[in-house]
Amino acid sequence: MTATLDRPAPAPVGRLVDQFEKGLDAPICLTWELTYACNLSCVHCLSSSGKRDPRELSTEQCKAIIDELQRMQVFYVNIGGGEPTVRSDFWELVDYATSHQVGVKFSTNGLKIDKAVAARLAASDYVDVQISLDGATAEVNDAVRGPGSFDMAIRALENLAEAGFSDAKISVVVTRHNVSQLDEFKAMADKFGATLRITRLRPSGRGADVWDDLHPLPSQQRELYAWLVAHGDGVLTGDSFFHLAAFAEPGQGGLPGLNLCGAGRVVCLIDPIGDVYACPFAIHENFLAGNILSDGGFRTIWQQSDLFLELREPQNAGACTKCAHFDACRGGCMAAKFFTGLPLAGPDPECVQGFGEQLLAGDRTAPTANKDHSRGVPLTLMTRPAHSVPGAGMTRPPSRDCDENPLAGFAPV
């Protein structure tokens, strides 16, 4: 007869969201923008990318950061930009990260994903690729991302599929012009053996200039919610749409994803010069926690910075705490409130109960961006009828030669 030992019952763990609110020893979603250089000039770019910053971290400095992430047991890093593949050392850094047990997910507009690169990626077990598309048709996509960008992204997806790359991601920022194309995006993902990832349009970076024209209308928010309820199990959303959870009827299950602002708790961003921000959607001095080169390294900033410690304390949600839907939406997105000039202790500007609309209609002062890496005059929205799409007059194609010069192929302004 096998003897058994009496063991005390394990202590209750509690809700995962409660643990996340208090912060973790290391981020579970770390975004690292390797460069601000980019061949495109998307109208909603969160980082106002275009030109390379001359203070950009060197190869060796990047490798030192990877070493620290390995010691912290960061599982993977989400590399973006700008267009990260235009760095001449991009593949060297990817190989260095994966050889040091730090997986890589990188976001790209498809510029460098030719057949040879696709075959290389298909042979790797620790690299995931995310192709950015903001329209299921060239007309809708190119109005936001620039002429030729749709064909470039589709060519990258075709090359990945042909090479046998498993489960690429198609990343879509939902706007009022593409929310009706969600079924088409899902069909496109199925066609290429990919997974659809949809994210929320935030009014930060250049997105602040176009948010009023591009963010989904209230009726479209309801349409988006219904689509997610029906199809969300096979779609990645992260923490993008927890503000929509207030649509749920009593007893109805919530939306997939994290219904919590993870800024400084489970997510953060490292920018190309080593500045660490609380959130990829909040690149502003108010959310700057420190610089890796001057403030003791990433671990020190993540675990000890005043900003991150403050964000891990219970937050004041103001009148939202009295709302019957507060546990579902938790007051919404910090970045969306900040960049629309709304108080952080208040409702999301896209609050589905309408409280955000009331505040947007009142007096408010939206903060100005304190970083802009755009190439001269950024792409702008044109005056247009309500049924048209933004940027219809843009004629500048994406550059293919920005490894050495991010301005290659662009006329000076």
Side-chain angles (χ1 to χ4, degrees), residues 106-110 113 129-133 152-154 156-157 160 168-172:
F106 72 91
S107 299
T108 175
N109 55 45
I113 312 299
V129 186
Q130 188 166 278
I131 307 294
S132 297
L133 262 179
M152 185 167 63
I154 295 299
L157 288 166
L160 289 167
K169 309 299 184 290
I170 298 176
S171 182
V172 177

Side-chain angles (χ1 to χ4, degrees), residues 226-245:
W227 192 88
L228 284 171
V229 169
H231 304 286
D233 287 344
V235 176
L236 302 177
T237 59
D239 64 352
S240 281
F241 301 109
F242 62 91
H243 69 293
L244 299 180

Side-chain angles (χ1 to χ4, degrees), residues 333-388:
C333 173
M334 176 184 72
K337 288 184 274 191
F338 177 77
F339 286 108
T340 51
L342 300 187
L344 298 187
D348 189 288
E350 294 182 281
C351 167
V352 300
Q353 301 301 311
F355 299 122
E357 292 177 66
Q358 298 173 19
L359 290 177
L360 289 173
D363 293 334
R364 57 191 172 94
T365 302
T368 56
N370 65 327
K371 284 192 175 184
D372 190 347
H373 304 275
S374 303
R375 291 183 299 266
V377 180
L379 304 180
T380 57
L381 295 177
M382 313 293 287
T383 301
R384 61 193 185 281
H387 66 274
S388 68

